């Protein structure tokens, strides 16, 4: 107990317990109930594991060649029968609106980044349309796909998705895109596709 030079505890002197006295009482109560201590430790450990194991969220502006991703497309497994990863439009919309989870390349993932691309327009330039932006970076992305996979898109079991800014992202000043490798059948990728020749 905390005492003053006059021998009085702070509780007696000021009619309130000091923080040290309050904590001392709580610690003493916990010592008498080890089950509660165990439950608190388990809860805190579980919360720490959830924080540490939470996948890293990447915005499209932070993507780099070699990143393996899990994109949460809104139409995945719902409006796209046979395409568990979602339609290309759904993937692009989700990527620019919400970002993507960084995934382990050795485990199941929806896409791999073969390269990133940029556009030269300034922040106030009107949106040229996704078709125009895709056309402008298609050749670059085809070359990046071939270099990444080890074969051209034609004849590959994999496919190329040229992800370019949506109109909303463009209005927000986003001027980057990505050359994404995905499975042609819309399924998840198992293992890294770099140099796979598939």
């Amino acid at each position: 107990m905390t005492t003053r030079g006059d021998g009085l505890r702070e509780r007696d002197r000021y009619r309130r317990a000091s923080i040290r006295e309050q904590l001392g009482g709580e610690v003493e109560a916990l010592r008498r109930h080890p089950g509660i201590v165990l439950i608190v430790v388990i809860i805190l450990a579980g919360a720490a594991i959830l924080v540490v194991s939470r996948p890293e969220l990447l915005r499209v502006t932070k993507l780099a060649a070699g990143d393996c991703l899990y994109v949460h497309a809104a139409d995945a497994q719902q409006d796209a029968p046979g395409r568990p990863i979602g339609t290309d439009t759904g993937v692009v919309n989700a990527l620019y609106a919400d970002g993507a989870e960084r995934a382990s390349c050795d485990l199941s993932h929806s896409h791999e980044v073969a390269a990133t691309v940029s556009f030269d327009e300034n922040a106030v330039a009107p949106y040229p349309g996704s078709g125009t932006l895709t056309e402008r970076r298609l050749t670059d992305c085809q070359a990046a796909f071939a270099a990444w996979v080890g074969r051209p898109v034609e004849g590959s079991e994999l496919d190329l998705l040229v992800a370019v800014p949506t109109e909303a992202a463009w209005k927000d000043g986003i001027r980057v895109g990505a050359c994404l490798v995905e499975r042609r059948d819309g399924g998840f990728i198992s293992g890294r596709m770099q140099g796979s020749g598939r």
Side-chain angles (χ1 to χ4, degrees), residues 143-174:
F145 179 97
W148 184 258
V149 176
R151 70 177 303 157
V153 178
E154 295 78 20
S156 174
E157 67 186 67
L158 302 171
D159 206 358
L160 170 66
L161 171 57
V162 182
V164 298
T166 60
E167 187 169 5
W170 189 268
K171 287 178 181 175
D172 287 340
I174 305 297

Side-chain angles (χ1 to χ4, degrees), residues 58 60 63-76 83-96 99-115 145 148-149 158-164 178-194:
L58 296 173
V60 70
L63 295 181
D67 286 337
C68 293
L69 309 174
Y70 178 69
V71 182
H72 293 273
D75 60 3
R83 290 194 62 86
I85 64 171
T87 63
D88 287 348
T89 300
V91 167
V92 171
N93 288 338
L95 181 62
Y96 280 90
E101 287 180 11
R102 184 188 300 276
S104 169
C105 295
D106 297 326
L107 301 175
S108 178
H109 52 284
S110 61
H111 296 85
E112 293 182 13
V113 181
F145 179 97
W148 184 258
V149 176
L158 302 171
D159 206 358
L160 170 66
L161 171 57
V162 182
V164 298
C179 308
L180 301 178
V181 175
E182 63 183 14
R183 277 182 39 180
R184 193 172 295 279
D185 64 3
F188 287 96
I189 298 170
S190 297
R192 187 182 285 274
M193 293 297 102
Q194 184 179 21

Side-chain angles (χ1 to χ4, degrees), residues 22-173:
Q22 291 172 18
L23 289 176
E26 297 302 323
V27 169
E28 192 57 40
L30 288 176
R31 283 187 186 158
R32 284 181 267 146
H33 301 302
I36 293 174
V37 173
L38 180 61
I39 291 170
V40 169
V41 168
I42 290 171
I43 290 171
L44 292 175
I49 289 170
L50 286 175
V51 168
V52 170
S53 64
R54 181 181 303 158
E56 180 184 0
L57 186 67
L58 296 173
R59 293 288 176 191
V60 70
T61 55
K62 301 294 183 186
L63 295 181
D67 286 337
C68 293
L69 309 174
Y70 178 69
V71 182
H72 293 273
D75 60 3
Q77 298 180 346
Q78 296 167 10
D79 303 326
R83 290 194 62 86
I85 64 171
T87 63
D88 287 348
T89 300
V91 167
V92 171
N93 288 338
L95 181 62
Y96 280 90
D98 305 319
E101 287 180 11
R102 184 188 300 276
S104 169
C105 295
D106 297 326
L107 301 175
S108 178
H109 52 284
S110 61
H111 296 85
E112 293 182 13
V113 181
T116 58
V117 294
S118 60
F119 300 93
D120 298 329
E121 284 86 350
N122 64 35
V124 295
Y127 185 58
S130 62
T132 298
L133 293 175
T134 300
E135 188 177 312
R136 285 171 47 192
R137 291 296 177 255
L138 181 59
T139 302
D140 296 334
C141 283
Q142 287 172 331
F145 179 97
W148 184 258
V149 176
R151 70 177 303 157
V153 178
E154 295 78 20
S156 174
E157 67 186 67
L158 302 171
D159 206 358
L160 170 66
L161 171 57
V162 182
V164 298
T166 60
E167 187 169 5
W170 189 268
K171 287 178 181 175
D172 287 340

